[in-house]
């Protein structure tokens, strides 16, 4: 019987995007869905048990996962005929393919501290460092021996923790401690090379993200001397629970959903997922295991933080866009890895990348443009040679030279080009690529540097000016206090959301470029010759920005244990920073001013969220109305949510425009015409001080009139709520979209809500 993985849950009905009630194309991996977790004796429970028993009678090994806490259902291997039959079974909501999602793959915290507008204690208390919060990491596992996960001086594990430390290949319960309090792995997330599963990380990604979020301080950390300093996570006293759902090949949706189900039972406070679909291919909410699992987690009071994706800078590439998720973009920090190129005449070009090449420091090597070393092969054209595509260059011409390669072919990676030149006996490579210059790749012991197009042109001009061009490439060095920073990383996925323009996604930005954090202790791939394996590594991606926000969320939760996920999100968003270390507006990698489609509310502040003054609390009813306004009816929604408020029903005038009114800490208005107005309301909760008054400041762009009523909010006590109304009027049609801010201020707090108006 050909295997098909079918996921049985009772959650999102596929009404809006078409139910997968009968998959007929071919056998494959599937997810079938049934609702919120039923009562112990309810009809749903009986349907679940009957179907599970029936499957196991036919094939005991067919069932892979059973979901019964946060939501109901199970995963099983079935034939296409069984899929069709199950789709018609009472209690089954939908059937959809089980997706394989991908990974979205220190000094960063010091930079954030420097950037913040509120001075914080340099030796924060245990509470402000996340002493009693539990951060769950869904990733590739963990390397428990890393010093970042030691538990020296930590208090006993919180009594509310109900999780476990699973044993597996090269992993025992003794690998867990008062820091790493839980570890699980799932079918399909173990090592194919080992033949069995384990929570142990064999990729490095999970170890890196876990230590970024909550690693203990480790002094003198570096990658072979680069980025030397104390490496620490954002919430160093928070506990870590690891859920291994990924390998280097990807992350199975059924494993992700099982991890959500377990984490809800285990008692985590924050879930961090540096993974997701590719931009432009994100499934609908009804077919998305991250959207499904996170909905139930948020219902249970768990904050869910996800990476925005690495498919930028194109618009509409952001993923993980459900409004109950905190979606994180990636920015740079004030540190550069500089690999200098010295030309004849001692002209220095500041290249980038990480290279430990050991060649002469004086320019002594012939410099060759790839286009001038074209192979005689009839299948090779000038573009191939200019880009140093493997097989396009003449061996004899390249041997003993430093080769200049363009990197605009989009077909071969820099590493493949490096290997090709190495195999031909080349001394080194200068790669002309603006993106490669801004985000450092690791070229190991081979002399290699990336340069901007501008610097590349200067090097080519030098070649053309002399009969014997020479150069050398120096080992990489760390440059601190780099300006401007932050800038938006070129790879960071951008809005608007592919689902709706009426919620701004991403929500927030955080450091995600050249981040140093813990790594495997045996990774030969990044080990330099005649050196011990490094214990820290430098990598980039929204995978790295996500745990910065997860760690901060853990700290905020520990200091404000009664706050729910939306209050924590609001605190992070409304205290964000929109300027760089030159006190100018944050810019994108291309030099334009960053918009909310690039960075959401802005760059995260590490102290502001601890004292936000006011918060926008997005209630469950807001999410229910969101579903109404995206096409679900009340019958569908009752199968989604654990509880529905008495008397709730979808408004008769539900529409996408109404999404703008959910109580979110940003405002998005779409499809507004010139000389027309649209109105939204927001409610804020006072979490600052009794007897406080806030006055509104509006930063509106040309062509948009913004009126806020009332323009002053007066609170008499903490937890009091006040509502205000905003009217947007277009006085002249903007180009596509424009943005601004509504800020509530008093002598102590600044609460900033970004808005975006699109035509």
């Amino acid at each position: 019987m050909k295997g098909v993985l079918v996921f049985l849950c009772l959650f999102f009905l596929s009404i809006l995007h078409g139910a997968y009630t009968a998959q007929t194309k071919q056998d494959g991996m599937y997810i079938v869905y049934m609702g919120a977790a039923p009562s112990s004796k309810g009809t749903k429970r009986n349907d679940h048990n009957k179907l599970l028993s029936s499957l196991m009678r036919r094939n005991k090994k067919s069932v892979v996962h059973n979901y019964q806490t946060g939501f109901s259902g199970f995963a099983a291997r079935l034939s296409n005929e069984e899929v069709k039959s199950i789709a018609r079974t009472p209690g089954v909501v939908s059937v959809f393919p089980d997706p394989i999602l991908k990974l979205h793959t220190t000094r960063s915290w010091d930079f954030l501290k420097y950037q913040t507008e509120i001075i914080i204690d340099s030796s924060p208390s245990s509470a402000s460092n996340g002493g009693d919060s539990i951060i769950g990491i869904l990733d590739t596992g963990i390397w428990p021996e890393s010093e970042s996960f030691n538990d020296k001086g930590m208090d006993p594990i919180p009594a509310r923790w109900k999780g476990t430390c699973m044993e597996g290949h090269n992993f025992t319960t003794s690998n867990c401690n008062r820091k790493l309090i839980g570890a699980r792995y799932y079918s399909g997330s173990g090592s194919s090379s080992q033949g069995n599963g384990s929570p142990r990380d064999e990729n490095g990604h999970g170890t890196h993200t876990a230590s970024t979020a909550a690693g203990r301080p480790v002094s003198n950390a570096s990658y072979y001397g680069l980025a030397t300093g104390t490496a620490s996570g954002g919430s160093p006293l928070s506990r870590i629970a690891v859920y291994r759902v990924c390998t280097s090949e990807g992350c199975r949706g059924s494993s992700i959903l099982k991890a959500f189900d377990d984490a809800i039972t285990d008692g985590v406070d924050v879930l961090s997922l540096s993974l997701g679909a590719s931009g432009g291919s994100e499934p609908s909410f009804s077919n998305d295991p991250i959207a499904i699992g996170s909905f139930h987690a948020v219902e249970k009071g768990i904050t869910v933080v996800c990476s925005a994706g690495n498919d930028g800078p194109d618009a509409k590439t952001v993923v993980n866009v459900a409004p109950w998720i905190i979606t994180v973009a990636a920015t740079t920090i004030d540190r550069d890895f500089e690999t200098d190129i010295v030309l004849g005449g001692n002209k220095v070009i500041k290249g980038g990348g990480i290279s430990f090449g050991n060649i002469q420091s004086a320019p002594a090597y012939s410099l060759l443009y790839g286009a001038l070393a074209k192979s005689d092969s009839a299948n090779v054209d000038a573009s191939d040679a200019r880009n140093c595509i493997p097989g396009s260059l003449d061996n004899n011409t390249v041997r003993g030279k430093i080769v200049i390669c363009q990197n605009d072919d989009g077909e071969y990676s820099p590493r493949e080009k490096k290997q090709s030149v190495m195999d031909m006996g080349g001394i080194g490579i200068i790669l002309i690529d603006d993106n490669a210059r801004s985000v450092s790749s690791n070229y190991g012991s081979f002399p290699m540097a990336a340069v901007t197009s501008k610097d590349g042109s200067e090097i080519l001009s030098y070649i053309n000016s002399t009969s014997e061009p020479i150069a050398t490439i120096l080992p990489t060095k760390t440059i601190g206090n780099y300006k401007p920073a932050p800038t938006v990383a070129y790879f960071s996925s951008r809005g608007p959301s592919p689902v709706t323009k009426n919620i701004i996604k991403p929500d927030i930005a955080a450091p995600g470029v050249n981040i140093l954090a813990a790594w495997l202790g045996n990774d030969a791939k990044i080990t330099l010759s005649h050196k011990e394996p490094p214990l820290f590594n430098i990598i980039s991606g929204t995978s790295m920005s996500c745990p910065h926000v997860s760690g901060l969320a853990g700290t905020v939760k520990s200091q404000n244990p009664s706050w729910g996920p939306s209050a924590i999100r609001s605190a992070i968003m409304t205290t964000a920073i929109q300027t760089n270390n030159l006190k100018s507006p944050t810019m994108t990698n291309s030099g334009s001013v960053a918009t909310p489609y690039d960075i959401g509310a802005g760059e995260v502040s590490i102290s502001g969220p601890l004292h936000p003054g006011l918060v926008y609390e997005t209630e469950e009813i807001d999410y229910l109305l969101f579903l109404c306004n995206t096409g679900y009816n009340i019958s569908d929604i009752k199968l989604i949510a654990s509880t529905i408020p008495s008397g709730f029903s979808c408004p008769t005038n539900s529409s996408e425009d109404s999404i703008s009114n959910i109580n979110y800490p940003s405002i998005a208005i779409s499809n507004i015409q010139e000389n027309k107005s649209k109105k939204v309301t927001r409610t804020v909760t006072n979490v600052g001080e009794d007897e406080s008054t806030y006055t509104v400041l509006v930063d509106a762009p040309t062509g948009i009139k913004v009126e806020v009523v009332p323009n002053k909010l007066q609170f008499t006590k903490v937890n009091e709520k006040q509502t205000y109304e905003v009217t947007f009027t277009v006085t002249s049609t903007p180009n596509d979209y424009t943005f601004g801010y509504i800020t509530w201020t008093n002598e102590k707090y600044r609460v900033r809500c970004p808005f975006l108006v699109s035509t």
Side-chain angles (χ1 to χ4, degrees):
M1 182 176 64
K2 205 169 182 180
V4 175
L5 183 60
V6 175
F7 203 125
L8 297 168
C9 305
L10 298 170
F11 189 69
F12 282 89
L13 271 173
S14 308
I15 300 299
L16 179 60
H17 299 281
Y20 282 83
T21 53
Q23 292 289 343
T24 58
K25 294 180 181 179
Q26 60 182 8
D27 288 0
M29 305 295 283
Y30 282 87
I31 290 180
V32 178
Y33 186 61
M34 288 169 98
S39 63
S40 59
K41 297 181 180 180
T43 301
K44 290 182 184 179
R45 178 72 68 184
N46 292 334
D47 291 341
H48 179 162
N49 291 339
K50 286 178 182 178
L51 191 51
L52 187 64
S53 298
S54 175
L55 286 173
M56 294 188 70
R57 281 197 300 270
R58 282 180 272 173
N59 183 354
K60 290 183 178 180
K61 296 183 179 180
S62 64
V63 177
V64 178
H65 295 304
N66 189 17
Y67 311 97
Q68 52 190 347
T69 304
F71 36 87
S72 174
F74 51 88
R77 291 186 177 87
L78 306 169
S79 69
N80 273 355
E81 290 304 313
E82 287 173 315
V83 170
K84 297 175 188 178
S85 174
I86 287 173
R88 297 189 293 267
T89 301
V92 174
V93 172
S94 62
V95 182
F96 59 92
D98 179 18
I100 298 179
L101 306 180
K102 66 178 184 178
L103 298 167
H104 287 155
T105 167
T106 129
R107 168 64 186 162
S108 55
W109 289 108
D110 290 337
F111 173 59
L112 290 176
K113 181 178 178 180
Y114 173 79
Q115 280 285 92
T116 193
E117 296 184 3
I118 299 175
I119 302 300
I120 60 173
D121 187 351
S122 60
S123 300
S125 67
S126 167
S128 66
N129 275 271
D132 198 33
S133 62
I134 302 168
I135 301 176
I137 309 289
L138 274 63
D139 214 292
T140 64
I142 197 164
W143 190 265
E145 291 82 7
S146 170
E147 191 62 22
S148 295
F149 309 125
N150 79 78
D151 65 352
K152 296 172 185 174
M154 294 190 71
D155 293 333
I157 296 171
R160 58 193 170 84
W161 173 246
K162 306 300 180 186
T164 187
C165 187
M166 292 177 64
E167 295 198 337
H169 181 86
N170 198 22
F171 197 99
T172 69
T173 56
S174 64
N175 289 123
C176 292
N177 55 22
R178 289 171 296 177
K179 177 64 177 180
L180 175 59
I181 64 174
R184 295 180 183 267
Y185 65 94
Y186 302 93
S187 299
S189 62
S191 168
S192 58
S193 63
Q194 292 175 344
N196 52 15
S198 173
R200 181 171 291 278
D201 188 5
E202 299 164 333
N203 173 278
H205 192 275
T207 299
H208 199 280
T209 57
S211 63
T212 300
R216 302 296 301 279
V218 180
S219 60
N220 297 316
S222 74
Y223 178 70
Y224 292 119
L226 292 180
T228 301
T230 297
S232 176
S235 190
L237 291 181
S238 283
R239 318 307 173 118
I240 294 172
V242 168
Y243 301 84
R244 182 176 179 177
V245 298
C246 304
T247 66
S248 298
E249 289 73 39
C251 317
R252 218 167 250 297
S254 52
S255 297
I256 291 168
L257 267 169
K258 181 58 176 172
F260 270 112
D261 194 40
D262 286 338
I264 291 169
T265 306
D266 291 347
V268 303
D269 298 301
V270 177
L271 282 170
S272 185
L273 290 85
S274 291
L275 53 93
S278 298
S281 65
E282 184 175 28
S284 62
F285 295 143
S286 57
N287 300 347
D288 183 357
I290 295 178
I292 291 170
S294 61
F295 185 94
H296 289 293
V298 170
E299 265 193 318
K300 302 300 191 298
I302 300 169
T303 300
V304 180
V305 185
C306 295
S307 49
N310 295 341
D311 294 299
D314 292 342
K316 214 170 183 177
T317 52
V318 62
V319 298
N320 295 323
V321 297
W324 43 88
I325 291 171
I326 302 177
T327 311
V328 189
T331 50
T332 65
I333 61 173
D334 64 339
R335 179 177 62 203
D336 186 37
F337 296 116
E338 185 178 302
T339 305
D340 288 343
I341 300 155
V342 185
L343 305 177
N346 292 321
K347 170 68 177 178
V348 177
I349 301 292
K350 295 179 179 180
I354 296 174
S355 169
F356 296 91
N358 184 22
I359 57 178
Q360 292 186 41
S361 59
Y365 306 94
S366 295
L367 190 57
L368 174 71
Y369 186 31
L372 303 178
K374 179 179 171 297
S375 165
D376 292 334
S377 171
N379 297 324
V380 174
D381 61 28
S383 175
D384 294 339
R386 187 177 67 249
N387 279 281
C388 301
I389 287 176
S392 68
L393 303 180
D394 179 74
N395 288 22
N396 292 329
T397 307
V398 167
R399 187 174 294 112
K401 296 180 177 66
I402 294 175
V403 185
I404 302 170
C405 303
Q406 300 280 357
N407 196 40
D408 53 23
D409 58 290
E411 183 177 0
Y412 290 91
S413 71
R415 289 184 181 181
E416 290 173 302
K417 296 177 183 183
K418 180 190 83 168
Q419 190 61 49
S420 176
V421 171
M422 284 177 62
D423 292 343
M424 289 187 287
I427 292 294
I429 290 180
I430 298 171
L431 191 72
I432 302 175
D433 186 331
D434 291 311
N435 292 336
R437 175 61 185 91
S438 65
V439 177
S440 296
S441 294
N442 189 341
Y443 306 125
S445 299
F446 187 69
M448 185 166 175
V451 298
T452 64
S453 299
K454 180 181 178 181
D455 287 336
S457 296
E458 185 172 350
I459 296 172
L460 293 176
S461 294
Y462 163 70
I463 288 179
N464 294 330
S465 70
T466 180
S467 60
E468 295 184 359
I470 56 174
T472 192
I473 300 173
L474 304 181
T476 304
K477 58 185 178 182
T478 304
I479 304 297
N481 198 27
Y482 186 81
K483 296 178 180 179
T487 60
V488 184
Y490 78 87
F491 58 76
S492 186
S493 291
R494 309 301 213 268
S497 163
V499 174
T500 176
K501 287 187 176 182
N502 293 305
I503 288 181
I504 298 173
K505 287 288 182 172
D507 293 305
I508 195 74
V513 176
N514 300 340
I515 304 301
L516 178 79
W519 201 249
L520 313 182
N522 65 348
D523 190 351
K525 293 179 182 178
I526 63 167
T527 301
L528 298 182
S529 300
H530 309 296
K531 299 282 187 179
E532 292 295 319
L535 302 180
F536 291 82
N537 195 14
I538 298 166
I539 55 176
S540 302
T542 54
S543 282
M544 285 63 256
S545 58
C546 172
H548 278 86
V549 176
S550 305
L552 180 58
T555 297
V556 175
K557 180 67 174 180
S558 69
Q559 188 156 309
N560 302 278
S562 64
W563 286 10
S566 67
I568 293 172
R569 174 181 59 205
S570 176
I572 291 171
M573 289 177 63
T574 60
T575 59
I577 302 165
Q578 296 82 34
T579 56
N580 59 29
N581 54 7
L582 293 174
K583 302 304 179 185
S584 299
T586 300
M587 309 296 283
T588 69
N589 62 294
S590 62
S592 61
V593 174
T595 77
Y597 283 157
D598 302 313
I599 57 172
E603 175 91 348
V604 66
S605 161
I606 62 170
S607 60
L610 302 178
H611 307 283
L614 305 174
V615 294
Y616 295 80
E617 294 186 282
T618 313
E619 307 289 350
E620 184 180 347
I621 194 169
D622 288 300
Y623 301 136
L624 301 182
L625 288 170
F626 170 82
L627 293 170
C628 290
N629 291 318
T630 51
Y632 292 86
N633 61 41
I634 189 62
S635 298
D636 308 331
I637 294 172
K638 284 182 177 178
L639 295 174
I640 296 170
S642 298
T643 58
I644 300 289
S646 177
F648 175 82
S649 62
C650 285
T652 56
N653 61 345
S654 294
S655 68
E656 187 177 345
D657 278 352
S658 298
I659 293 173
S660 300
N661 257 318
I662 77 167
N663 202 46
Y664 211 74
S666 62
I667 299 172
I669 302 290
S670 66
N671 301 318
I672 188 170
Q673 300 175 359
E674 189 172 350
N675 297 320
K676 298 292 185 180
S677 299
K678 288 193 176 184
K679 190 177 295 184
V680 299
T681 60
R682 288 293 187 270
T683 299
V684 289
T685 304
N686 178 26
V687 295
E689 299 170 346
D690 295 334
E691 302 293 342
S692 53
T693 300
Y694 290 80
T695 302
V696 73
L697 297 175
V698 177
D699 178 9
T702 302
I704 304 293
K705 179 183 177 183
V706 180
E707 184 181 9
V708 180
V709 178
N711 60 11
K712 185 175 292 187
L713 299 177
Q714 293 182 311
F715 298 90
T716 60
K717 58 184 178 180
V718 173
N719 294 325
E720 181 182 351
K721 297 180 186 291
Q722 296 278 357
T723 297
Y724 66 91
E725 187 176 80
V726 189
T727 302
F728 297 90
T729 304
V730 176
T731 58
S732 62
T733 304
N735 294 325
D736 190 20
Y737 68 89
T738 189
F739 68 98
Y741 299 91
I742 295 169
T743 307
W744 294 98
T745 66
N746 62 16
E747 64 279 359
K748 189 170 183 179
Y749 301 106
R750 188 207 70 167
V751 185
R752 175 167 281 192
C753 175
F755 67 80
L756 188 146
V757 178
S758 65
T759 58

